[in-house]
């Protein structure tokens, strides 16, 4: 496994941030500084970050959170606003899987597995995201729905075809395989129906379900494997086939440790 991926899987950072950490010369393999993030390592190799051992067997934890409005989806906020990470009391360091705008509500995942976060959000894996979108004015014009389905030209390029269903005269369900910044808001604005309320109701195979705003739950092994499968099933890059998820640890954490997100 490549070193950056190994570090990401061990919960050190996202894969990209892990690559930067390696390039900065902070990582040793068997006592030797390695600055190439693509260097192959084996699970039994002794890997250290800043002199401290990195344990690739750290238990993976994944939470689903119903993000309330007004909460930012970064790990830390320099302006001191509440973050999605601060809503989940876990004993491991969690990262949000992708972003939702501050005013967007709904399903966001948090994990200590940078590799999972990478797969769920990298455009090449094309994992579906579904949004319930209230717009104005109502009713939404047929031409607007057709344009959203076919793709619209935003300043950063044409959007890929999307699935769009009318749920009510002022409400659409939009499913995208892309995740550009403020994409749904920009698409709807462009077709003349600015967004009044935006909620993510599904991410890959996982639905928001009955989670109330601010509530969260830890995903079970089958749900986590389904997330990996969603990314496997849609990937376009042939080279990604070696990146199968590690099987879940055989020794499951106790219910108490699971509730608190405890490791190992
Ligand atoms: N699209 C948006 O415009 N905002 C989000 O938060 C998510 C998708």
């Amino acid at each position: 496994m490549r070193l950056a991926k190994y570090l990401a899987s061990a919960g050190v950072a996202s894969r990209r941030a892990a690559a930067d950490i390696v390039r900065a010369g902070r990582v040793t393999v068997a006592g030797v500084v390695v600055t190439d993030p693509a260097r192959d390592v084996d699970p039994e190799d002794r890997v250290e970050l800043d002199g401290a051992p990195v344990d690739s067997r750290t238990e993976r934890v994944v939470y689903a959170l119903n993000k309330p409005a007004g909460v930012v989806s970064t790990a830390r906020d320099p302006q001191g606003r509440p973050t999605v990470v601060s809503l989940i009391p876990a004993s491991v360091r969690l990262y949000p899987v992708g972003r939702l705008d501050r005013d967007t509500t709904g399903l966001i995942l948090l994990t200590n597995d940078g590799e999972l976060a990478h797969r769920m959000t990298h455009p090449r894996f094309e994992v579906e995201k579904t949004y319930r979108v209230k717009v104005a004015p109502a009713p939404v014009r047929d031409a607007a729905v057709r344009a959203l389905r076919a793709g619209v030209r935003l300043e950063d390029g044409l959007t890929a075809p999307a699935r769009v269903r009318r749920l009510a005269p002022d409400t659409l369900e939009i499913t995208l395989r892309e995740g550009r910044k403020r994409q749904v808001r920009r698409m709807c604005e462009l077709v003349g129906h600015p967004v009044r309320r935006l909620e993510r109701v599904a991410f890959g195979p996982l639905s928001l379900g009955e989670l109330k705003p601010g509530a969260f739950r830890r995903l079970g092994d089958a749900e986590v494997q389904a997330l990996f499968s969603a990314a496997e099933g849609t990937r376009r890059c042939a080279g990604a086939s070696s990146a199968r998820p590690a099987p879940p640890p055989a020794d499951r954490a106790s219910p108490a440790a699971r509730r608190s997100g405890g490791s190992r």
Side-chain angles (χ1 to χ4, degrees), residues 63-234:
Y63 289 92
L65 167 73
N66 185 345
K67 182 182 112 42
V71 174
V72 295
S73 49
T74 48
R76 269 181 305 276
D77 183 53
Q79 296 173 46
R81 294 170 295 186
T83 69
V84 287
V85 170
S86 68
L87 297 183
I88 301 183
S91 60
V92 291
R93 197 158 147 206
L94 295 174
Y95 310 90
V97 178
R99 299 274 162 94
L100 292 176
D101 301 334
R102 189 153 65 98
D103 292 333
T104 303
T105 60
L107 180 60
I108 188 161
L109 301 177
L110 293 100
T111 183
N112 63 343
D113 185 339
E115 181 58 21
L116 175 62
H118 171 75
R119 282 164 169 266
M120 293 299 292
T121 53
H122 194 287
R124 98 168 167 243
F125 294 104
E126 297 186 342
V127 176
E128 287 190 345
K129 285 140 300 235
T130 300
Y131 301 89
R132 187 174 298 138
V133 193
K134 187 168 177 188
V135 298
V140 181
R141 288 174 303 110
D142 288 346
V145 172
R146 280 199 301 273
L148 292 171
R149 282 187 182 137
V152 294
R153 189 164 294 284
L154 301 176
E155 63 269 28
D156 50 357
L158 192 64
T159 60
R163 280 208 311 279
V164 182
R165 285 203 304 146
R166 286 173 198 273
L167 301 180
D170 66 349
T171 308
L172 300 174
E173 183 187 83
I174 301 181
T175 301
L176 303 178
R177 289 185 181 276
E178 303 177 285
R180 303 190 216 165
K181 206 167 174 200
R182 299 181 71 81
Q183 182 166 349
V184 173
R185 293 178 196 274
R186 290 189 293 140
M187 288 170 70
C188 292
E189 175 95 39
L190 195 92
V191 299
H193 290 281
V195 170
R196 295 289 181 249
R197 180 161 155 47
L198 182 56
E199 180 184 35
R200 183 154 68 191
V201 293
F203 193 172
L206 198 73
S207 297
L208 181 60
E210 298 301 310
L211 269 188
K212 300 277 175 272
F216 60 87
R217 69 179 182 87
R218 185 164 168 194
L219 302 189
D221 289 342
E223 290 173 304
V224 173
Q225 291 307 313
L227 296 178
F228 275 109
S229 300
E232 278 287 306
T234 53

